[in-house]
Amino acid sequence: MDIRGSIVALVTPMHADGSVDWERLRKLVDWHVAEGTHAIVAVGTTGESATLGFEEHDLVIREIISAAAGRIPVIAGTGANSTEEAIRLTRDAQRAGADACLLVTPYYNKPTQEGLYQHYLAIAREVDIPQILYNVPGRTACDMLPETVERLSKVPNIVGIKEATGNLDRARELMERCSPDFMLYSGDDATAIDFILLGGHGNVSVTANVVPGTMAAACNAALAGEGDEARRLNAQMEALHRVLFVESNPIPVKWALYEMGRIDRGIRLPLTPLSAPAQERVRQTLRECGLLEVK
């Protein structure tokens, strides 16, 4: 597997009543293909994986794969805090035709490092599809340490990691410990371009939902070693990197896409629509970035 560049952590558009908006979902996929997004993560954190049922989870992944129609790779989010559930979701994604799977560290139950190793090893042995680890301790209360990643990187179908700590020293250590063909993806928009310029392979991005073309161009420049151009493009997105996390993801990015006319306002409890004070902050940033008309 050799997926590089801007990988959008795609939102799951919903109607106001919380049901999945299949038409808008297909249109988002088409938009990302047209804008140069390099790959899509289906039903990750930004896609509200935590509130989609098993059947819906599988349906959204299948719909995104169908809409992408081989034009760009689709990475299915199939992590769970139950190893058995993660195996089931990963197997379903493989059957649906996903190019790879992204598996978040088990959340809430706080496994040991050995528990993490055994969890991922079990999934890799059960399902023969390229698998990407996903470390985001700020959300899971579980930090997969570099030495554990190094052990797992030797499993043939564990092909990479999405490292979302935003810690560039952590990124450097992973690069030192893992072989050059082990794919290293940033999961932190604010530091992603520096991550790639250090030797990373791409960015699993929330910001790409809103400015897919700019994020793709910035990642392309960084992958080519064109630091000045990559940072110039990233500077155009820095305000978005901040404001899209003014409340818990994906609350702000879904509201931004709603303001842009890309999706309806739907989001599922326990997530709630963006608060009024935050709405004005996001709206102002969208205007400053030329994504909304100035009134």
Side-chain angles (χ1 to χ4, degrees):
M1 188 200 79
D2 190 17
I3 298 173
R4 299 169 187 253
S6 176
I7 305 166
V8 64
L10 194 68
V11 302
T12 300
M14 297 173 181
H15 298 290
D17 64 2
S19 61
V20 177
D21 187 338
W22 302 104
E23 181 180 359
R24 296 275 192 168
L25 181 62
R26 289 187 291 269
K27 287 181 177 179
L28 285 180
V29 173
D30 287 341
W31 183 43
H32 280 281
V33 172
E35 289 289 309
T37 295
H38 299 100
I40 292 172
V41 166
V43 198
T45 305
T46 311
E48 292 178 78
S49 57
T51 54
L52 293 179
F54 268 118
E55 184 176 349
E56 280 184 315
H57 193 120
D58 291 345
L59 283 171
V60 173
I61 288 169
R62 287 202 293 269
E63 189 65 27
I64 291 172
I65 292 169
S66 174
R71 294 175 292 173
I72 56 174
V74 176
I75 302 167
T78 59
N81 59 355
S82 158
T83 306
E84 182 179 347
E85 289 182 8
I87 290 170
R88 173 183 166 180
L89 289 168
T90 303
R91 186 177 288 123
D92 287 349
Q94 182 188 43
R95 289 170 178 160
D99 295 278
C101 289
L102 178 69
L103 294 115
V104 71
T105 54
Y107 43 88
Y108 185 76
N109 44 20
K110 299 177 77 171
T112 63
Q113 295 301 304
E114 181 62 23
L116 287 172
Y117 177 77
Q118 294 296 337
H119 169 79
Y120 284 110
L121 184 63
I123 301 164
R125 284 175 170 171
E126 286 290 329
V127 192
D128 184 20
I129 188 174
Q131 296 174 23
I132 302 167
L133 312 171
Y134 176 14
N135 188 44
V136 57
R139 294 193 77 123
T140 63
C142 174
D143 188 7
M144 183 160 47
L145 299 179
E147 51 264 37
T148 304
V149 177
E150 182 182 10
R151 289 179 72 194
L152 287 167
S153 72
K154 298 177 179 6
V155 179
N157 58 322
I158 296 179
V159 299
I161 183 170
K162 174 186 174 184
E163 175 57 55
T165 60
N167 183 336
L168 294 177
D169 288 334
R170 172 72 65 93
R172 291 185 184 93
E173 184 174 355
L174 290 171
M175 290 170 195
E176 290 169 359
R177 286 178 173 270
C178 300
S179 67
D181 59 352
F182 188 71
M183 307 302 287
L184 300 174
Y185 303 112
S186 173
D188 177 67
D189 280 310
T191 58
I193 295 305
D194 286 333
F195 183 105
I196 297 171
L197 288 168
L198 283 172
H201 300 97
N203 178 30
V204 181
S205 174
V206 175
T207 302
N209 278 282
V210 175
V211 282
T214 307
M215 180 58 75
C219 288
N220 283 337
L223 287 167
E226 299 169 359
D228 289 345
E229 176 64 4
R231 291 189 174 101
R232 183 188 71 80
L233 290 164
N234 190 55
Q236 298 174 16
M237 300 184 286
E238 284 180 341
L240 288 169
H241 298 335
R242 294 189 297 270
V243 81
L244 292 179
F245 291 90
V246 68
E247 290 181 5
S248 296
N249 179 48
I251 291 172
V253 70
K254 290 195 86 174
W255 192 85
L257 287 167
Y258 167 68
E259 280 288 291
M260 294 166 63
R262 294 281 175 186
I263 65 173
D264 201 350
R265 65 175 72 231
I267 197 165
R268 286 192 182 174
L269 289 170
L271 299 180
T272 52
L274 192 65
S275 65
Q279 285 181 18
E280 188 49 43
R281 287 183 62 185
V282 174
R283 187 180 293 115
Q284 182 60 33
T285 301
L286 293 175
R287 287 173 179 156
E288 290 170 358
C289 293
L291 300 171
L292 288 181
E293 291 184 8
V294 178
K295 298 179 180 179

